[in-house]
Amino acid sequence: MEKEIIPTCVDCGTQNCKYKDRTYPDFCPTDNLKEEDRQWALERYDEGRNREIMIASAEVEYEGYCQWTRVQEIMEFARKIGAHCIGIANCIGLIREARIFARILRANGFEAYSVICKVAGQPKTSMGIPAQCESIGAAMCNPILQARLLNEAHTDLNVVIGLCVGHDSLFYKYSDAYVTTLVTKDRVTGNNPTAALYTADSYYRKKFFGGK
């Protein structure tokens, strides 16, 4: 017996929140929004630098729409918010990409400060990670230490390059600076995780949906 699916935004076919000339579905969170939730969110934009960040983000989206690569967008965003020291939290498997990005940043007047995922070389088993996990590398990834060291370097903006699923979550949690992501690691698709989505109804259908 299949569990009832509660419809959410992914089940919407109108996107009236964007177009404003269509009809909201019955389950639409915009149409059913509590005023206190709307006001709570709007008030958060007045905290810290949130409004500045929001405006800079919208300007970058507009100015570079379908013209700038994400590398360029990050640099333009950094300029708009006055970020000079850019922290790089990178996976050791993407050290080449991190080096290229740092070189680009420096060529464009930024300071680049990188902390690699294996910093401190802590054995995985010392943290209770099963010993078999060391077969692909004895040292654990250390995203919390990456964040701390970048905090101590007083970075203005941090950029994630290929941290593992979950490790990136911990980094985001402990980073003092705002964080954006340049590369999302996917070893199978050459760091293009959306490839699995684009092929979910063809090559990956059986893997994702079984016999359905």
Side-chain angles (χ1 to χ4, degrees):
M1 186 173 176
E2 292 188 5
K3 185 178 180 180
E4 181 183 0
I5 295 176
I6 299 174
T8 60
C9 289
V10 295
D11 304 297
C12 173
T14 70
Q15 298 181 357
N16 192 45
C17 55
K18 173 182 178 180
Y19 295 104
K20 298 296 185 182
D21 59 358
R22 305 175 182 181
T23 303
Y24 290 116
D26 292 340
F27 59 82
C28 178
T30 296
D31 202 33
N32 294 286
L33 190 63
K34 292 184 290 186
E35 186 57 28
E36 62 189 84
D37 290 336
R38 183 198 303 272
Q39 287 304 316
W40 179 89
L42 292 176
E43 289 168 5
R44 299 292 78 72
Y45 290 109
D46 289 325
E47 292 183 351
R49 303 182 67 190
N50 290 350
R51 185 177 295 274
E52 176 191 1
I53 296 297
M54 192 64 182
I55 292 171
S57 302
E59 289 176 345
V60 167
E61 179 190 18
Y62 164 73
E63 293 168 11
Y65 198 74
C66 293
Q67 300 180 67
W68 294 343
T69 64
R70 193 170 180 91
V71 169
Q72 185 69 35
E73 286 184 335
I74 289 172
M75 291 193 294
E76 298 298 336
F77 173 71
R79 290 188 181 102
K80 285 181 179 292
I81 65 171
H84 174 70
C85 183
I86 311 299
I88 302 173
N90 63 287
C91 167
I92 198 168
L94 281 87
I95 185 63
R96 179 175 179 272
E97 291 83 348
R99 285 172 176 155
I100 294 171
F101 182 55
R103 193 166 80 242
I104 292 171
L105 289 175
R106 290 164 179 160
N108 283 272
F110 296 98
E111 178 184 351
Y113 192 103
S114 167
V115 179
I116 205 163
C117 63
K118 300 297 184 182
V119 62
Q122 188 79 20
K124 290 178 180 176
T125 51
S126 71
M127 285 294 294
I129 298 172
Q132 61 264 31
C133 294
E134 292 192 345
S135 64
I136 57 171
M140 62 177 265
C141 293
N142 207 332
I144 294 178
L145 183 56
Q146 282 179 290
R148 181 176 177 85
L149 295 179
L150 290 178
N151 293 344
E152 291 180 351
H154 303 293
T155 53
D156 302 312
L157 174 70
N158 290 332
V159 179
V160 166
I161 296 183
L163 297 188
C164 296
V165 172
H167 296 155
D168 54 0
S169 303
L170 289 170
F171 179 81
Y172 298 141
K173 180 176 181 178
Y174 287 94
S175 171
D176 287 345
Y178 287 93
V179 183
T180 190
T181 300
L182 175 56
V183 180
T184 302
K185 180 169 62 187
D186 188 326
R187 298 177 182 89
V188 174
T189 65
N191 302 324
N192 178 22
T194 55
L197 304 180
Y198 298 145
T199 57
D201 290 321
S202 54
Y203 299 111
Y204 273 86
R205 184 177 180 83
K206 289 185 178 179
K207 183 178 287 292
F208 289 149
F209 302 110
K212 296 181 181 180

